[in-house]
Amino acid sequence: MSESVEKVWERKDLLGIRDLDIWEIELILDTAESFLEISKRDIKKVPTLRGKTVITVFYEASTRTRVSFELAAKRLSADTVNISASTSSAKKGETLIDTARNLEAMAPDAIIMRHPIPGSSDLLGRHVRSSIINAGDGAHEHPTQALLDAMTIRQVKGGIAGLNISIIGDITHSRVARSNIYCLTKLGANVTIAGPATMIPTRVEEMGVRVVRTVREAIRDADVIMMLRIQRERQGKVLFPSDRDYARFFGLNLENMEEAKDDVTIMHPGPINRGVEISPEVADGPFSVILEQVTNGVAVRMAILYLLIGKGGSDEAAA
Amino acid sequence: MKLLLKGGTVVDPGGGQSGPADVLIENGVISDVLSPGAGPKDADVIDVSKMTIIPGVIDIHTHLREPGFEYKETVASGTRAAAAGGVTSVACMANTDPVNDNGQITEYILEKAETTGVVRVYPVGAVSRGLSGEVLAEIGELAAAGVCALSDDGHVISNSDLMRRGMEYAVTFDLPVISHSEDMSLVADGVMNEGFVSTELGLPANPPQAEEIMIFRDVTLAQLTGARLHVAHISTAGGVEVIRRAKERGVAVTAETCPHYFTLTDDAVRTFDTNTKVNPPLRSEEDRRAVIEGLKDGTIDVIASDHAPHDIVEKAVEFSYAASGISGLETLLSLSLQLVRDGEMTLFDVVEKLTIAPARTLGLAGGTLATGVPADLTIVDTGEDWTVDPRAFFSKGKNSPFAGRSVPGRVKMTIVAGSIVYREGAIV
Ligand SMILES: [Zn+2]
């Protein structure tokens, strides 16, 4: 990180990676590194966000992500409230904007939202003063996932620039893929994507990635392989014929892993469909950093909360 | 009563004339287009110096929403929006509630137009009952009640046999069939154009081929049935090409596009502004260029607004949940004149797409300033620019992606049947 450049974090919201500058990404990752240690303490808590209120609103069930955000907030001493919302309430006449205004009347400092529709966190950010953290908006962005992935790769590989990173699976429906493509290409990685053509979005090359037709090609020169979760609930029936067919031709298993580099790193945003996108032997094997990803997730989310709403608070975090 | 519009420049593609001239109106009809200063001394004179006089704009694709959706628009508010936009005639689509699939509804709309409207209203009847796409509407009854065309617009007639039968039946009554051409199985849950922007945004998208495939089907059925087919709101390069080929083969097909398809691309969706959500969706730059080329070479005959007003609550939601459509009557003329400003087309050619071409397409009166024709005129200052402010729209629909845009051509006066209905910002 360059010491000479004086740049100040001024964002109100974290909506996606696309709009972040490289220095912002690096600032988040560096801040997260400094928070990592807190989670290793006996008493996993610092007073940084004491008196601040953080609300999580999840229109889609995702215990893992929600708990990760909640732990992050709690370890910084923020008060947290969880709200499970349902998009069917939208059809009952309660709009997202109404919900947001009601939430804001409770004066939270940050609202963390997951929502099935792309752009919904942008919409929210335009209508409330609280900081909005996008915890996944449909197939659009999932910025904290990409940041925790980048953090994990940095730890394992010592850096990101110049690495060959392959993302394999349903790119079309994956917010994880999009945020990672933005993040990793900004940080100088060579990103390759692969999957059935039914899951490769139109003109995706223009995002600065290489598209290959087979998983073997994607595996061959990769320093990092990122497998995506098959999201059956987001797909029509025609995107792939069966789990069996998918597992055989697009899954990661011991057989095609023979093509991989000796020091390859395997990642997955979880939860895994064991035996479909990734075989158990590979998921639990020596190259997998799936659990490190989870650990880093809490630190990255602490960093985001600190940067968005912790300014003017205690400086203990940076110590 | 004689009224003389004096000192202006007449642009009348229907009459093949363009240049300085005075227009004399007597008893609601055009009585003469004269050399400057040659008019009678006993006429009431309106000074239109530096203004352009064109035949009243005819918009063959509007949604007036009445009956059933009066909170979005009424015949009264929609025709006022038309007048403010320099539009003197509108053809209104059948997707009301109840649907305009029988003579009583047609009569109701005509009655509303008579009592509350300020411009001419030509109802379009449904092809299928309830826009179900399953059984034919009472097309004969609709024709007798006075519809100008048939269309399930807003819905797609996916059943090819029904489309064929609708076209065949329409021939008997000499009604054109207007097609909203989208292959719905390919559209699926798409809410924007499939392309690089949808890839970045992760919004479900539909490919331009969805339009192209259905236009191909419909021109093929027009060939089979001998019906007059009019293809609504062309948005794709592929669609333009299919129509170009069909016209070369002599198929009786006409086509329209809308200002948003030659003004915007799917890049505008990046903001997730739901006012950019339209159906068919905003396409790529390549498609936009092809639409302009189609206008230039005559493949696309008409510019229409596809005026689709919505209440704010239907747009102030997540993009996928938002209603599709743009409140377009008040920006139709100015966005079209931008083509002239950009050097893409001549004023004469743009005015043709807005006046005589739509009149011919649906067989409507007007569209020209010939002697004896009802005196529907639009007086516009093509040199005056204005900034679009949807809050000031006469339409109840404030849903415009053009808010804040500076556009050329201020409508100064709109005249229907010799009476001024709009003048300088006010309905008269
Ligand atoms: Zn339509």
Side-chain angles (χ1 to χ4, degrees):
Chain A
M1 198 173 89
S2 166
E3 302 288 340
S4 58
V5 186
E6 251 187 83
K7 282 168 175 156
V8 185
W9 180 274
E10 280 174 339
R11 284 180 193 275
K12 165 182 164 290
D13 305 320
L14 179 73
L15 302 177
I17 303 287
R18 184 178 189 266
D19 300 326
L20 292 184
D21 292 332
I22 292 170
W23 73 265
E24 291 177 296
I25 294 171
E26 285 173 344
L27 175 64
I28 296 166
L29 298 184
D30 293 343
T31 309
E33 289 290 348
S34 73
F35 279 126
L36 207 49
E37 173 267 334
I38 295 169
S39 298
K40 290 175 184 150
R41 293 182 192 174
D42 242 12
I43 295 171
K44 302 174 181 59
K45 208 164 181 123
V46 292
T48 314
L49 297 184
R50 195 160 53 201
K52 304 275 186 182
T53 306
V54 173
I55 300 184
T56 60
V57 193
F58 273 51
Y59 285 85
E60 282 178 351
S62 172
T63 311
R64 289 160 27 100
T65 304
R66 190 179 55 70
V67 165
S68 179
F69 270 110
E70 195 178 340
L71 276 179
K74 287 198 153 94
R75 285 181 186 171
L76 295 172
S77 300
D79 298 316
T80 61
V81 183
N82 304 312
I83 295 172
S84 324
S86 116
T87 46
S88 64
S89 68
K91 276 138 208 162
K92 288 178 201 142
E94 186 182 0
T95 69
L96 177 60
I97 294 169
D98 286 338
T99 307
R101 290 196 175 127
N102 275 301
L103 290 175
E104 182 155 77
M106 300 171 202
D109 297 281
I111 299 173
I112 297 158
M113 185 174 75
R114 167 160 297 186
H115 195 286
I117 306 297
S120 46
S121 37
D122 297 72
L123 180 70
L124 194 62
R126 278 199 295 274
H127 284 87
V128 298
R129 282 172 308 245
S130 313
S131 285
I132 302 303
I133 299 171
N134 179 6
D137 60 330
H140 182 217
E141 285 234 39
H142 189 359
T144 56
Q145 177 71 42
L147 291 163
L148 74 87
D149 288 339
M151 182 176 176
T152 309
I153 296 169
R154 243 176 44 159
Q155 287 167 351
V156 180
K157 301 290 185 189
I160 288 174
L163 290 179
N164 295 326
I165 302 178
S166 290
I167 307 177
I168 299 173
D170 183 358
I171 311 293
T172 299
H173 296 90
S174 176
R175 52 192 170 218
V176 175
R178 281 177 183 74
S179 285
N180 261 306
I181 289 170
Y182 291 131
C183 189
L184 297 171
T185 54
K186 279 181 201 229
L187 296 177
N190 310 309
V191 177
T192 296
I193 63 168
T198 51
M199 298 176 175
I200 304 294
T202 312
R203 294 168 62 180
V204 69
E205 305 80 7
E206 291 170 44
M207 291 180 81
V209 300
R210 179 173 74 113
V211 183
V212 296
R213 289 185 54 193
T214 66
V215 167
R216 283 180 178 273
E217 282 173 89
I219 291 172
R220 203 163 294 142
D221 300 312
D223 298 299
V224 177
I225 300 171
M226 210 177 261
M227 298 304 290
L228 298 176
R229 180 177 163 77
I230 293 295
Q231 314 244 16
R232 287 191 190 77
E233 66 275 16
R234 291 217 192 92
Q235 291 162 355
K237 294 182 196 81
V238 291
L239 295 187
F240 66 104
S242 66
D243 282 1
R244 195 170 81 151
D245 216 66
Y246 188 91
R248 177 163 170 202
F249 295 101
F250 300 100
L252 194 61
N253 49 50
L254 286 180
E255 193 194 349
N256 56 25
M257 273 289 286
E258 281 173 19
E259 305 267 335
K261 282 187 172 183
D262 292 340
D263 62 344
V264 69
T265 298
I266 309 291
M267 304 176 79
H268 190 291
I272 298 168
N273 293 306
R274 282 178 185 267
V276 185
E277 66 262 11
I278 188 162
S279 75
E281 301 89 335
V282 178
D284 305 328
F287 308 112
S288 166
V289 293
I290 294 172
L291 295 176
E292 285 85 339
Q293 288 175 269
V294 177
T295 304
N296 288 334
V298 177
V300 155
R301 288 162 182 135
M302 289 168 80
I304 297 294
L305 284 167
Y306 170 72
L307 290 167
L308 289 177
I309 64 171
K311 282 181 290 181
S314 160
D315 266 339
E316 183 167 338
Chain B
M1 190 196 133
K2 291 182 192 174
L3 190 64
L4 186 67
L5 304 175
K6 199 171 173 193
T9 300
V10 166
V11 177
D12 176 23
Q17 62 176 326
S18 174
D22 296 347
V23 177
L24 184 65
I25 298 166
E26 279 183 274
N27 302 320
V29 299
I30 307 282
S31 105
D32 212 349
V33 178
L34 317 125
S35 315
K41 302 286 172 247
D42 60 340
D44 289 338
V45 172
I46 298 177
D47 181 7
V48 292
S49 304
K50 299 199 203 85
M51 306 293 159
T52 301
I53 304 169
I54 63 175
V57 173
I58 298 175
D59 182 15
I60 59 173
H61 195 144
T62 75
H63 297 269
L64 290 180
R65 306 296 191 204
E66 189 175 6
F69 304 103
E70 288 83 354
Y71 68 101
K72 293 178 194 251
E73 193 82 293
T74 59
V75 172
S77 63
T79 56
R80 278 162 180 76
V87 176
T88 56
S89 296
V90 297
C92 60
M93 289 299 167
N95 61 340
T96 48
D97 182 22
V99 169
N100 184 19
D101 61 2
N102 64 78
Q104 285 74 27
I105 301 300
T106 307
E107 283 160 14
Y108 175 86
I109 295 166
L110 287 169
E111 155 91 21
K112 278 282 167 186
E114 192 66 38
T115 54
T116 70
V118 299
V119 305
R120 296 178 202 275
V121 174
Y122 297 100
V124 175
V127 175
S128 74
R129 206 172 295 175
L131 307 178
S132 63
E134 286 165 9
V135 283
L136 291 180
E138 293 178 311
I139 290 171
E141 290 283 328
L142 287 164
V147 299
C148 66
L150 299 171
S151 181
D152 274 10
D153 184 66
H155 289 69
V156 178
I157 300 175
S158 293
N159 181 328
S160 300
D161 184 57
L162 185 84
M163 188 61 163
R164 172 199 173 157
R165 301 305 172 193
M167 283 183 176
E168 285 175 340
Y169 209 79
V171 171
T172 316
F173 301 94
D174 197 27
L175 288 173
V177 174
I178 303 172
S179 160
H180 176 126
S181 304
E182 284 187 300
D183 178 337
M184 291 313 290
S185 63
L186 207 45
V187 169
D189 58 353
V191 297
M192 71 172 295
N193 180 55
E194 183 175 324
F196 179 56
V197 180
S198 69
T199 286
E200 285 211 328
L201 298 184
L203 279 169
N206 73 75
Q209 283 76 9
E211 174 175 279
E212 184 179 345
I213 287 169
M214 208 50 135
I215 293 175
F216 187 82
R217 182 202 72 171
D218 289 339
V219 296
T220 304
L221 290 176
Q223 207 163 13
L224 172 68
T225 60
R228 278 193 287 145
L229 172 71
H230 176 69
V231 183
H233 42 56
I234 303 254
S235 67
T236 64
V240 173
E241 187 56 25
V242 171
I243 288 165
R244 187 175 286 131
R245 293 269 171 80
K247 284 189 165 183
E248 281 165 13
R249 289 203 309 275
V251 180
V253 57
T254 52
E256 84 198 16
T257 191
C258 314
H260 37 278
Y261 299 119
F262 58 71
T263 308
L264 299 175
T265 65
D266 56 4
D267 209 46
V269 181
R270 280 193 186 287
T271 56
F272 292 107
D273 176 3
T274 53
N275 289 317
T276 65
K277 188 176 175 188
V278 275
N279 188 18
L282 299 174
R283 304 289 185 181
S284 68
E285 176 62 15
E286 184 193 342
D287 292 306
R288 190 185 77 87
R289 287 302 323 166
V291 164
I292 292 174
E293 290 310 313
L295 283 166
K296 284 183 182 174
D297 72 10
T299 302
I300 301 175
D301 305 85
V302 171
I303 301 173
S305 72
D306 194 2
H307 176 70
H310 288 293
D311 188 78
I312 180 76
V313 300
E314 282 149 321
K315 285 290 192 181
V317 293
E318 298 86 329
F319 197 89
S320 296
Y321 301 152
S324 296
I326 290 171
S327 180
L329 275 168
E330 283 157 90
T331 50
L332 169 64
L333 177 56
S334 287
L335 291 170
S336 301
L337 291 173
Q338 186 69 46
L339 290 171
V340 182
R341 180 69 64 84
D342 293 344
E344 299 282 2
M345 293 174 70
T346 64
L347 178 62
F348 191 84
D349 288 345
V350 166
V351 171
E352 181 185 8
K353 307 277 182 197
L354 292 164
T355 58
I356 190 65
R360 281 188 189 133
T361 296
L362 297 193
L364 307 178
T368 179
L369 301 179
T371 304
V373 162
D376 296 355
L377 306 100
T378 301
I379 295 158
V380 58
D381 184 344
T382 56
E384 184 180 339
D385 293 7
W386 59 286
T387 301
V388 178
D389 177 9
R391 288 168 303 181
F393 280 0
F394 284 86
S395 171
K396 289 189 181 185
K398 313 299 179 192
N399 47 307
S400 172
F402 300 108
R405 179 181 285 250
S406 177
V407 290
R410 176 77 94 170
V411 174
K412 293 290 169 180
M413 202 181 297
T414 305
I415 297 173
V416 177
S419 301
I420 298 168
V421 294
Y422 172 86
R423 185 175 201 165
E424 301 276 2
I427 298 293
V428 180

